[in-house]
Amino acid sequence: MSFFPASLEKLIEKFASLPGIGLKSAQRLAFHVLSLSDADAADFASAITEAKSKVHACRICQNLTDREICSICASPNRDPSTVCVVADPKDVAAIERAREYRGRYHVLHGVISPLNHVGPDDIRIKELVERVSDGGVEEIIMGTNPDTEGETTAKYVSRLLKPFGVKVTRFAYGIPVGASLEFADDATLMRALEGRQEI
Amino acid sequence: MSFFPASLEKLIEKFASLPGIGLKSAQRLAFHVLSLSDADAADFASAITEAKSKVHACRICQNLTDREICSICASPNRDPSTVCVVADPKDVAAIERAREYRGRYHVLHGVISPLNHVGPDDIRIKELVERVSDGGVEEIIMGTNPDTEGETTAKYVSRLLKPFGVKVTRFAYGIPVGASLEFADDATLMRALEGRQEI
């Protein structure tokens, strides 16, 4: 049974349908929206429709953009011969924050995950293969997460791309900067040992 | 610096402006909205504008409604001589859930809180006094929270209403049903003792 007006109940329901938002939080958010000025509420609503209608995948790298080609692919300062392959647009944002990488990206929009019924055809691998076969790419850096699904995806993609004669590399594994050996897990320690470098 | 398209950044910003939503959650929510179908996203946006434009305060009890008079005030089954005064529409919902109370409500939309610069004129006390002075109300039940601000508000309102000859009562204090004495705080235990009843 509902104790709020129908249109308020509907808004609560909409918020509650978002990931990680329970009923109490949804109520709190809906009441907050009611407390906004008319202009601010209209602004919020239009932000949703605008983002939804304008944002789409870049024709080249599949990253999210509101232009035809994203700002990274369109930039003359980014090296087109190096392509970092990531699972998600958020990973692009994370790597860009480090201000170190000068190549381009390819966003897969997912990883191969048989348990979740995601196969190679469900993510943007085909687009990557086309891009490499068009030429101009010399190195592919696999930047998928170092978990089972990310590893599987990296292996699968590298096997597909090897015939094109591109170099396929992987992000280094090791102890995170600032972390202590004491708290590193066994798998990370093992990889850090394997990947040791002369100083 | 922003690493997402402008319209996506704006949506993230909007979500992050909601209470209790941090930047990471806002990103998660914005990406979720992008993953919705066009129809679902439009539905979400219209839920915001609809709720904002339709929901307003009931002319009689100040509770939120999308009609002129809320369903409780409009119901012939609710006793108009008993009015429960609460701080918030959520309190009405909580009391209604108990399915016990058959009177009506008055929603103050806040409590007197000098620390937050909320005085008696900033909440709907004037409307309550008018309602009582119009006659027909015999008992006012103060249902504000049992904290300092709720108590202050209850005392202030009862002093204002006493001259009209209405009975002003307060929710009982005591051990919550199902709780154990061991974990009750001192103030609650003291009030529970004071309010002890013969069995």
Side-chain angles (χ1 to χ4, degrees):
Chain A
M1 198 183 151
S2 124
F3 304 108
F4 297 118
S7 45
L8 178 56
E9 279 290 343
K10 196 182 165 195
L11 184 57
I12 293 173
E13 212 176 85
K14 287 287 163 195
F15 274 119
S17 74
L18 296 176
I21 306 285
L23 190 61
K24 283 278 168 193
S25 303
Q27 281 187 6
R28 194 165 35 82
L29 299 179
F31 275 97
H32 177 82
V33 167
L34 289 186
S35 76
L36 294 176
S37 71
D38 282 349
D40 283 349
D43 223 32
F44 197 152
S46 78
I48 291 177
T49 43
E50 286 259 308
K52 182 65 195 164
S53 68
K54 284 195 182 163
V55 177
H56 55 101
C58 166
R59 197 162 49 75
I60 299 174
C61 75
Q62 312 296 324
N63 191 11
L64 296 177
T65 181
D66 44 13
R67 308 177 213 178
E68 202 200 335
I69 291 173
C70 78
S71 56
I72 294 174
C73 286
S75 165
N77 301 321
R78 307 294 296 240
D79 174 11
S81 72
T82 311
V83 173
C84 178
V85 179
V86 294
D88 198 280
K90 279 175 242 172
D91 300 328
V92 174
I95 297 172
E96 286 297 289
R97 264 194 293 275
R99 294 165 193 274
E100 176 67 29
Y101 181 63
R102 304 313 304 162
R104 294 192 181 173
Y105 294 95
H106 187 91
V107 181
L108 294 175
H109 291 277
V111 281
I112 298 172
S113 169
L115 276 177
N116 298 316
H117 307 288
V118 181
D121 297 339
D122 300 319
I123 60 178
R124 314 271 170 105
I125 291 178
K126 194 172 83 268
E127 289 83 351
L128 177 62
V129 175
E130 269 169 28
R131 200 173 157 188
V132 172
S133 72
D134 286 348
V137 178
E138 286 160 22
E139 180 177 357
I140 293 282
I141 305 172
M142 290 305 304
T144 49
N145 282 331
D147 52 23
T148 320
E149 292 167 349
E151 287 298 290
T152 310
T153 309
K155 288 244 170 70
Y156 182 89
V157 170
S158 69
R159 217 171 297 157
L160 270 185
L161 297 181
K162 279 281 167 63
F164 296 98
V166 292
K167 186 166 130 195
V168 183
T169 57
R170 185 93 180 87
F171 274 11
Y173 291 107
I175 319 286
V177 175
S180 97
L181 275 185
E182 190 183 353
F183 300 113
D185 62 291
D186 295 356
T188 303
L189 269 179
M190 205 181 69
R191 298 294 199 115
L193 258 175
E194 277 173 13
R196 66 189 179 280
Q197 298 186 320
E198 211 170 335
I199 48 174
Chain B
M1 195 183 155
S2 125
F3 303 107
F4 296 119
S7 45
L8 178 55
E9 279 290 343
K10 197 182 164 193
L11 183 58
I12 293 173
E13 212 175 86
K14 288 287 164 195
F15 274 120
S17 73
L18 297 176
I21 305 285
L23 190 62
K24 284 278 167 193
S25 302
Q27 282 186 6
R28 194 165 35 81
L29 299 178
F31 275 96
H32 178 81
V33 167
L34 289 186
S35 75
L36 293 176
S37 70
D38 283 349
D40 282 348
D43 224 32
F44 197 153
S46 78
I48 290 176
T49 43
E50 286 257 309
K52 182 65 195 165
S53 69
K54 283 195 183 162
V55 176
H56 55 101
C58 165
R59 196 163 49 77
I60 299 175
C61 73
Q62 312 295 325
N63 191 12
L64 296 177
T65 181
D66 44 14
R67 309 179 211 174
E68 203 202 332
I69 291 173
C70 78
S71 56
I72 293 174
C73 286
S75 163
N77 301 322
R78 307 294 296 239
D79 174 12
S81 71
T82 310
V83 173
C84 179
V85 178
V86 293
D88 198 280
K90 280 175 241 173
D91 299 329
V92 173
I95 297 173
E96 285 298 289
R97 264 194 295 276
R99 292 163 195 273
E100 175 68 28
Y101 180 64
R102 302 315 303 162
R104 295 189 179 174
Y105 294 94
H106 187 90
V107 181
L108 295 173
H109 290 276
V111 282
I112 298 172
S113 168
L115 277 176
N116 297 316
H117 308 288
V118 181
D121 295 339
D122 300 318
I123 60 177
R124 314 267 169 108
I125 291 179
K126 196 175 80 262
E127 289 83 351
L128 177 61
V129 175
E130 270 170 28
R131 200 172 157 189
V132 172
S133 72
D134 286 348
V137 178
E138 287 162 22
E139 181 176 357
I140 294 283
I141 306 171
M142 290 306 302
T144 50
N145 281 332
D147 52 23
T148 319
E149 293 167 347
E151 286 297 290
T152 310
T153 309
K155 288 244 170 70
Y156 181 90
V157 169
S158 70
R159 217 171 298 156
L160 270 185
L161 296 181
K162 280 281 168 64
F164 295 99
V166 291
K167 185 166 131 193
V168 183
T169 57
R170 185 94 181 85
F171 274 13
Y173 290 106
I175 319 286
V177 176
S180 96
L181 274 185
E182 191 184 353
F183 300 112
D185 62 290
D186 295 355
T188 303
L189 269 179
M190 205 180 71
R191 297 297 198 114
L193 258 174
E194 277 173 13
R196 67 191 180 277
Q197 299 187 318
E198 209 168 340
I199 51 174

